[in-house]
Amino acid sequence: MGRWICCLCSRVADPLMLLLVLALGCNPSTAATASPSVPHVKPSYSFGRTFLGLDKCNACFGTSICKKFFKEEIRFDTWLSSHLKLPPSSLLSYSGNYTDDAKSWRLVDITRLTSKYQHDRADKRICTSLLKSKTCSLERALRRTQRFQKWLRAKRLTPDLVQGLSSPMLRCPSQRLLDRIVRRYAEVPDAGSIYMDHLTDRDKLRLLYTLAVNPHPILLQIFPDVEGWPFPRYLGSCGRLVVSASTRPLRDFFGAAPEVAADLALQLLAVLRSMATNDLNYFFYFTHVDAGTFGVFSNGHLFIRDASTLGIIDKEEGSQLIDGQQEYKDIFSCLTVDCQSAFVSCDSIREKHSLVMVCQDLLPKLLAGKFLPSVQERVDAFLQRCARGLGDDRGANEAMAELAEILKPLRSCDSRFAYRYPDCRYSDKY
């Protein structure tokens, strides 16, 4: 039958018959039998343990969100391509999508707390300095250290257990702050206790490792956004990747319209005020700021995007670690920084410290050339005076109030500022 049809293909003259024959096809096998249905195969996204950093655990940050990755409920933007390839492991951060119901998705930031190069270099340093080998079991090496052995025996996280760590958050620790870390550590089941009885040996190593590498996820956990703190929401960790709510870095807004720039500058001042004065009596200060330190959500709300350079001074209890103890150094002090780096004295930090840094490095780029000459002159004059350290006895609050008074009339009230719209229409606050 199929051969007869194929012969007819070359002889038939009637156009309608030709169309019928072509529709049947000249392949005997396809003409004689129907094609079997092919089952749909779901694409498989292949995760390597190395990409996630799970091969390094428990010298890693946690595993609380790993199931989301393997169930494809967290997807990198590159997964939208036909090749379904994971992004390069050398990147410091990735844009991704997160879902709880497989229907609605929201943007998230997937971040390495330090570059893969820095991680690899630190891993080699652990092996060569502790076990005199180029490669080793990182967990076994770190478990042998004097510091971790003290952690294993400790019932409570005390200042001597974190002495010498490079994190600015731990340069001036109070017992109240350390208790808050243990009580709110999100990579373990919530026990609500200041004692470390609910932490396994594995949990203690992960917590210590995170504090030594980069305290950013710990700050997001102990000062959550749902309580009004200006940080993005922490969603979890998997190996050496951390997942949090997505924000666009402030650098993306340096070319924004004048009313947007004025709004962001006012929010920035409000964040600095809340960091210096809050109900819990913690004084937060920056040791460094740049165009990626702050971020903006899709609703226009400004948050601290990178908390790794935040120091904390407890105004209620004060520091329980004297400066001499800060000089203690071990392998945990050197995971991401030069061991020779000097500590900043707790007593040297002033309230205007962060404001001066912002006036030097961020506000000029955000506000330069944005306003009418008369207003721009006032803004520029303030920023120049602020960048030089204010040069008078006025405190940071008075200085911020002066700039805020200049900028407030420049804000607008419309849907671009969803975080305060339509409230701004009915409130004198805005």
Side-chain angles (χ1 to χ4, degrees):
M1 178 68 177
R3 185 166 48 192
W4 177 83
I5 293 174
C6 290
C7 292
L8 188 60
C9 284
S10 60
R11 298 178 182 177
V12 64
D14 189 333
L16 293 176
M17 182 61 73
L18 179 61
L19 291 174
L20 176 61
V21 171
L22 291 175
L24 290 172
C26 289
N27 187 329
S29 62
T30 58
T33 60
S35 300
S37 59
V38 179
H40 175 69
V41 179
K42 185 179 180 181
S44 176
Y45 302 102
S46 177
F47 269 113
R49 290 172 59 82
T50 302
F51 180 86
L52 294 169
L54 282 171
D55 58 325
K56 307 295 186 180
C57 284
N58 291 301
C60 62
F61 307 132
T63 56
S64 62
I65 209 165
C66 287
K67 287 183 179 179
K68 285 281 187 181
F69 279 105
F70 290 113
K71 291 169 64 178
E72 298 171 24
E73 294 176 345
I74 295 178
R75 297 186 176 187
F76 293 89
D77 279 353
T78 53
W79 284 7
L80 301 178
S81 69
S82 59
H83 300 294
L84 304 175
K85 291 181 179 179
L86 291 171
S89 60
S90 59
L91 298 180
L92 195 58
S93 63
Y94 311 88
S95 179
N97 297 278
Y98 174 102
T99 186
D100 288 316
D101 56 13
K103 296 178 182 178
S104 58
W105 294 80
R106 51 192 166 113
L107 291 175
V108 293
D109 289 332
I110 305 168
T111 309
R112 299 185 187 279
L113 299 184
T114 188
S115 69
K116 190 175 185 301
Y117 167 76
Q118 288 175 302
H119 265 311
D120 291 344
R121 189 173 64 172
D123 293 345
K124 290 180 181 178
R125 188 184 296 125
I126 292 170
C127 292
T128 55
S129 64
L130 297 180
L131 296 182
K132 311 303 179 184
S133 170
K134 291 184 178 180
T135 59
C136 69
S137 166
L138 298 176
E139 180 171 353
R140 187 167 68 249
L142 294 175
R143 277 177 172 270
R144 293 182 179 181
T145 61
Q146 181 181 2
R147 186 192 293 266
F148 187 66
Q149 289 300 312
K150 289 177 66 177
W151 272 63
L152 289 179
R153 296 190 298 268
K155 292 290 186 180
R156 193 174 182 182
L157 185 59
T158 51
D160 62 296
L161 296 178
V162 298
Q163 64 176 321
L165 296 184
S166 62
S167 164
M169 183 182 78
L170 299 172
R171 289 180 186 173
C172 316
S174 69
Q175 188 60 59
R176 188 169 69 114
L177 176 63
L178 297 179
D179 288 344
R180 190 175 182 87
I181 291 174
V182 172
R183 194 171 61 247
R184 297 192 168 210
Y185 182 43
E187 288 298 314
V188 298
D190 181 18
S193 172
I194 62 174
Y195 297 102
M196 295 197 290
D197 298 335
H198 62 293
L199 301 184
T200 64
D201 294 357
R202 175 197 65 192
D203 298 329
K204 289 182 178 180
L205 181 56
R206 290 178 181 177
L207 176 57
L208 172 56
Y209 184 82
T210 306
L211 290 172
V213 172
N214 189 326
H216 170 79
I218 303 299
L219 276 159
L220 270 56
Q221 294 168 42
I222 66 176
F223 298 109
D225 66 309
V226 293
E227 295 180 2
W229 298 97
F231 301 109
R233 179 165 301 181
Y234 176 79
L235 298 173
S237 296
C238 183
R240 289 181 171 178
L241 291 179
V242 173
V243 183
S244 59
S246 177
T247 59
R248 289 176 59 192
L250 187 61
R251 68 171 64 91
D252 291 356
F253 296 85
F254 285 164
E259 59 274 19
V260 174
D263 182 80
L264 291 175
L266 284 165
Q267 288 192 71
L268 188 50
L269 296 177
V271 167
L272 294 182
R273 277 195 298 270
S274 69
M275 294 288 92
T277 305
N278 51 74
D279 292 342
L280 293 185
N281 259 338
Y282 288 115
F283 171 60
F284 298 76
Y285 65 93
F286 287 99
T287 57
H288 171 77
V289 295
D290 58 35
T293 301
F294 296 90
V296 183
F297 283 122
S298 58
N299 64 358
H301 207 171
L302 181 137
F303 276 62
I304 297 174
R305 190 171 190 256
D306 179 3
S308 62
T309 63
L310 269 179
I312 303 178
I313 295 175
D314 191 333
K315 294 194 293 185
E316 186 171 302
E317 285 191 2
S319 171
Q320 296 186 22
L321 190 64
I322 62 175
D323 290 340
Q325 291 176 294
Q326 292 178 335
E327 300 305 319
Y328 174 87
K329 299 286 177 66
D330 66 355
I331 189 64
F332 289 100
S333 309
C334 315
L335 290 181
T336 57
V337 298
D338 181 1
C339 272
Q340 304 304 316
S341 59
F343 287 106
V344 176
S345 170
C346 302
D347 297 331
S348 66
I349 306 300
R350 300 290 178 265
E351 285 193 356
K352 62 184 180 182
H353 178 87
S354 296
L355 174 62
V356 171
M357 295 179 71
V358 167
C359 287
Q360 291 172 340
D361 299 318
L362 294 183
L363 289 179
K365 298 173 184 176
L366 182 63
L367 301 177
K370 288 288 169 60
F371 312 114
L372 294 175
S374 58
V375 175
Q376 192 68 53
E377 287 177 6
R378 294 177 64 195
V379 171
D380 293 344
F382 174 87
L383 294 180
Q384 291 172 9
R385 191 170 74 251
C386 176
R388 291 193 297 265
L390 295 174
D392 53 34
D393 294 331
R394 288 187 311 161
N397 286 333
E398 291 83 354
M400 286 188 284
E402 177 185 345
L403 181 58
E405 286 304 309
I406 301 173
L407 296 175
K408 279 180 181 179
L410 306 175
R411 288 195 301 185
S412 64
C413 181
D414 58 64
S415 58
R416 286 177 298 172
F417 311 102
Y419 79 95
R420 59 181 174 88
Y421 181 85
D423 294 351
C424 54
R425 290 190 176 277
Y426 311 105
S427 173
D428 294 335
K429 177 182 176 183
Y430 300 103

